[in-house]
Amino acid sequence: MKTVVLTGASGFVGRALTLYLKYQGVNVIPVSRQRRIDLYHVDNYLDCPEGDVLIHLAEEPDRSKVNRIGEKYQKESLELTTVLSKRFNGQVIYASSAVVYGDRNPFLNTENSPVEGVDLYSVVKLKNEQVVLANGGTVARISNLYGSGMSKNNVMSDILLQIPGAGIIKVRDSRPVRDFLFIDDLLTALSLMIIKSHNGILNVGSAEPVSILKLAELILEVANQKDRKVMSTQSRVGDSINTLDISKTSKVLGWRPSSTLKQHVSKLVLYGVSANG
């Protein structure tokens, strides 16, 4: 049995993945800089324990915060990924992001679609990807995640926090088209990556493009509040589209999302799930 070391174990994905892998009987070491009895504590992720496979989640998920920190974040992140990739002999699964594709491709992005570093966050992701790939590891380009315990800093949380309620649902911009992935589907994909040891990039998304307007309307529908309107507070000029083609991932891993966006969102609304879990 492989020993899986998991950095960033106290985060949204890390918490869920630790529980999932333990339930599957995997020997997992959840590593965090937080001091908790259920986690392996380190002051610096450079001091991670040994293992057979590393799932590297220990990066700041808040895009705006990364951009504010600047070059210091980039230097430390790249150093960490480089050291850990060599220590684990390339057996690394790196959690990247679909944002590296930008938002100008009107079609589903394949793993071979052009990428662009439009800000420091995406630049750091791309540089860390290169390190992991050069050492024989796996890069998971993940779309917009949602589920119990997710960040408050995303559009899904913005909408759910206004349900139930009355009056207009406010979103920053209702026009962008995105790909939303339920957390449980990501957990399944990552567990399969441990088994397959794929050297390359894999898109992990729903392949179910939806505009922010349609997302809000879907949530209102399942909440039985279809009479409420959706309003943008900061509309941008031009199209903004970021969606993923998951055909390669399905072929390599034998994986597909378990059900539709509507089915998952219905459960979140039914149980009153928001960013607070």
Side-chain angles (χ1 to χ4, degrees), residues 113-259:
S113 293
V115 294
E116 53 180 328
V118 297
D119 59 1
L120 185 69
Y121 180 88
S122 52
V123 167
V124 170
K125 288 294 187 185
L126 288 169
K127 287 187 175 182
N128 283 333
E129 284 187 7
Q130 293 171 3
V131 170
V132 171
L133 294 172
N135 284 278
T138 304
V139 168
R141 287 181 178 163
I142 304 166
S143 66
N144 300 274
L145 283 175
Y146 69 98
S148 177
M150 64 185 161
S151 169
K152 295 180 181 180
N153 298 318
N154 63 52
V155 67
M156 183 81 75
S157 292
D158 286 345
I159 298 169
L160 287 173
L161 287 170
Q162 299 175 70
I163 304 290
I168 295 172
I169 292 286
K170 294 182 180 180
V171 296
R172 182 184 303 175
D173 190 349
S174 65
R175 295 178 61 235
V177 177
R178 293 293 184 266
D179 181 320
F180 292 91
L181 180 68
F182 191 57
I183 181 66
D184 290 4
D185 291 323
L186 174 63
L187 305 183
T188 305
L190 290 174
S191 67
L192 289 169
M193 289 179 197
I194 296 170
I195 299 169
K196 299 291 184 177
S197 299
H198 177 72
N199 174 212
I201 301 168
L202 294 173
N203 285 338
V204 189
S206 68
E208 189 180 352
V210 62
S211 70
I212 304 306
L213 174 60
K214 293 298 182 183
L215 173 65
E217 290 176 342
L218 173 61
I219 293 174
L220 288 171
E221 177 187 343
V222 300
N224 295 316
Q225 294 193 309
K226 292 177 66 175
D227 58 318
R228 298 176 67 186
K229 303 298 183 182
V230 180
M231 182 183 77
S232 299
T233 59
Q234 300 177 28
S235 294
R236 58 174 284 177
V237 177
D239 294 332
S240 175
I241 303 172
N242 183 302
T243 55
L244 297 180
D245 183 320
I246 59 171
S247 55
K248 177 184 174 183
T249 307
S250 297
K251 182 178 180 180
V252 171
L253 302 180
W255 169 90
R256 288 197 68 83
S258 59
S259 51

Side-chain angles (χ1 to χ4, degrees), residues 69-80:
I69 296 173
E71 293 300 318
K72 180 177 182 292
Y73 177 88
Q74 178 176 238
K75 179 181 178 181
E76 292 177 352
S77 178
L78 187 58
E79 177 189 10
L80 176 61

